[in-house]
Amino acid sequence: MNIKLTQSLPKTHTQKILKKEAKSKDAACLVVLIDDKKNILAESVLSDYQTRIEQLIEVSHFNGKACETVADYALAGDKKTTKENPVQLLLVGVGNVDKLRHSVLEKIANTIYKSTQKRVDSITVALGDALEENHFSQFALSLLAASYRFDKYKSEQQTPVLTDIYLLAEPSLEESLNFVQAVFTGQSLTRDVANEPGNICFPAYMAEQAQELAATYPDLLKVTVLGEDEMSALGMNCFLSVAQGSTKEGKLVLMEYRGKSNFSVNADGDTSKAITNSAKVAGGLKALADKLPTKAASKKAAKNAKQDSNDDVQVANDDSPIVLVGKGVTFDSGGISIKPGAAMDEMKFDMGGSAAVLGTLKALCEARLPINVVGALACAENMPSGEATRPGDIIIAMNGKSVEILNTDAEGRLVLCDTLCYVQKYYQPKAIIDVATLTGACVVALGHVRSAVFSNDEDVLFDLENASHLSGDLIWHMPMDDEYQAQIDSPIADIQNIGGKGAGAVTAACFLSRFIEEGQAWAHLDIAGTAWISGQDKAATGRPVPLFMQYLRNSVNMA
């Protein structure tokens, strides 16, 4: 779908008067927005059409309620266009303009697209200065998102007629529209990979998607893929406990976006000892060493250097990346704690977190934001087999903590905890945000409107909430009081992977918090209710790519 700003109305055509809905190649439609008081938005630029619009409102008893529509298929013209075939008009109600918010704008955009996609090849939406910048961006993205389709496996595909959208709006919005297009590109990739079935999208597939991005943007993106041998050498046993029941090898995919500088990485401790002690990587030490980030000064050394007023270290700290960690369980059967059969097909969406991180990195490359970001995709398939982890097993995580597995269907936190350990050990993150379709309890708490956010840092939380407001990709701050931590204490290990029936989304966040180092800014997004739509029309939503991109854009502006 092409979308552009314009400063002119669509041209009329000197043809015969149309007698039915236009289907000609150059058919155009002018979309006019009307509020619930029958005021015409962008009225100043529609003077040539005002008579037609007012007559259409009157004869159709149009009230301007949100998503109400009436179409004039150009059967007659007003005094200025009597001898011409005027463009079609579509009046769309917006309701109370003082109550316009993302959900309303999204519904209006969907209404416009559905009303025009099959009969005209271009539409011009008259906006003028009716929408402030963030509402304009939300509306434009919703128009583009309405055009998304995933029908590659259908033997018969219907191609929409509509190919071009023109927004008659202020020229100053050009930059915002370019950013929206980048977000849409990334969000579409997120939806594409999440909509793929589990027999196509498994860990290696996710790694391939990341590598293809790196090949497309070699000046911005570097991708490293760790397999199970490498993860075993690093002691990532919680991650491996999820992957071991499947014949599909687990993958940790690291995507380094260097939009600002070649940031340094941290390597506290001696990884060579872990590698040497792993029998699985005998003879393959060089391959692993090549995949690990370059060793740099430790955080402690960097801090000391900073205290010594070393300007070079200060720059390195300023350029430290924001790290996005995505849960990538490409199919979640529940493992030995197997799920009920009803709607289990939707567990292909359980990699929605990693899909969102992948899409965000794509959008970053398109927008070319001057910021450093690392995306970590924790990809595994959770399957029951003779090799699968059993309830009651005790596993040692990368940071040395022991975890008692009480339920193998609480697997997302296991791939995430080792990945969180990894990114803290090898990078110097300004902030870490993990994103996961983690708990059904989150769906019970918040439904499908808002994603849950947990954080240990007020600044990160504030920035995410601000990005949520501006993007319309909504979140809700959830508690993580110390009192909840007792629910995940194990009598025989350091921690257990579930916390009982109460506060399931909270105790899952508490579990992850046990793997965050002191002083590390961190947030956890539970998108179990927002990553996809369930039921007959099941489909990925592409959230929270708009949230992440707005957050990163704001971070650039605040730097």
Side-chain angles (χ1 to χ4, degrees), residues 88 104 138 153 193 198 203 215 217 371 383 455 501:
Q88 300 181 44
V104 179
Q138 293 171 22
Y153 295 110
V193 297
Y217 308 97
I371 190 173
M383 298 290 282
S455 184
K501 293 182 178 180

Side-chain angles (χ1 to χ4, degrees), residues 442 446 450-454 475-478 505 524-527:
C442 183
L446 296 178
R450 291 178 182 262
S451 302
V453 61
F454 304 80
I475 60 175
W476 189 258
H477 180 208
M478 299 284 280
H524 160 61
L525 280 176
D526 193 331
I527 58 169

Side-chain angles (χ1 to χ4, degrees), residues 288-343:
L288 174 56
D290 290 341
K291 289 187 175 184
L292 292 176
T294 306
K295 187 170 183 177
S298 67
K299 287 183 178 179
K300 183 177 180 180
K303 182 178 180 181
N304 291 338
K306 179 179 177 182
Q307 291 173 345
D308 292 337
S309 300
N310 186 321
D311 293 337
D312 291 336
V313 174
Q314 179 65 47
V315 170
N317 289 340
D318 287 343
D319 291 353
S320 295
I322 294 171
V323 177
L324 306 178
V325 177
K327 172 188 171 183
V329 177
T330 56
F331 188 81
D332 182 18
S333 69
I336 297 300
S337 307
I338 197 163
K339 294 178 178 288

Side-chain angles (χ1 to χ4, degrees), residues 68-103:
E68 180 185 2
T69 64
V70 63
D72 175 354
Y73 297 117
L75 297 177
D78 56 26
K79 292 181 180 180
K80 295 183 179 181
T81 58
T82 301
K83 297 181 180 180
E84 295 180 332
N85 168 32
V87 296
Q88 300 181 44
L89 285 182
L90 176 68
L91 306 188
V92 180
V94 300
N96 188 336
V97 292
D98 294 329
K99 294 184 179 181
L100 281 179
R101 57 186 186 277
H102 177 263
S103 60

Side-chain angles (χ1 to χ4, degrees), residues 138-284:
Q138 293 171 22
F139 178 71
L141 182 58
S142 295
L143 273 174
L144 287 170
S147 70
Y148 174 84
R149 59 198 348 94
F150 187 81
D151 56 5
K152 62 187 288 188
Y153 295 110
K154 286 184 174 290
S155 56
E156 295 184 7
Q157 300 175 353
Q158 294 183 347
T159 303
V161 177
L162 181 61
T163 57
D164 296 290
I165 298 174
Y166 299 95
L167 301 178
L168 182 56
E170 298 295 315
S172 59
L173 295 171
E174 185 75 41
E175 182 180 349
S176 294
L177 186 60
N178 291 337
F179 182 75
V180 163
Q181 289 175 297
V183 175
F184 173 66
T185 302
Q187 190 173 20
S188 295
L189 176 61
T190 293
R191 296 169 80 175
D192 282 344
V193 297
N195 283 327
E196 289 285 359
N199 62 317
I200 300 297
C201 179
F202 45 88
Y205 175 88
M206 293 296 292
E208 290 168 2
Q209 297 303 302
Q211 289 165 335
E212 287 179 10
L213 277 187
T216 303
Y217 308 97
D219 58 323
L220 292 172
L221 195 61
K222 175 186 175 183
V223 170
T224 303
V225 180
L226 301 186
E228 292 184 0
D229 285 347
E230 290 92 343
M231 286 188 280
S232 178
L234 293 165
M236 302 178 73
N237 299 307
C238 283
F239 192 124
L240 294 173
S241 72
V242 177
Q244 70 188 46
S246 173
T247 58
K248 305 293 188 184
E249 183 181 7
K251 303 286 185 182
L252 175 57
V253 184
L254 301 161
M255 308 174 68
E256 299 173 0
Y257 173 82
R258 290 179 165 86
K260 185 177 182 182
S261 65
N262 286 321
F263 54 83
S264 61
V265 295
N266 182 47
D268 291 326
D270 186 3
T271 58
S272 62
K273 183 181 295 184
I275 296 170
T276 303
N277 291 339
S278 175
K280 290 187 177 182
V281 292

Side-chain angles (χ1 to χ4, degrees), residues 424-440:
Q424 288 172 101
K425 186 177 182 67
Y426 292 110
Y427 298 99
Q428 302 176 34
K430 283 184 178 178
I432 300 173
I433 305 172
D434 74 73
V435 55
T437 52
L438 205 62
T439 64

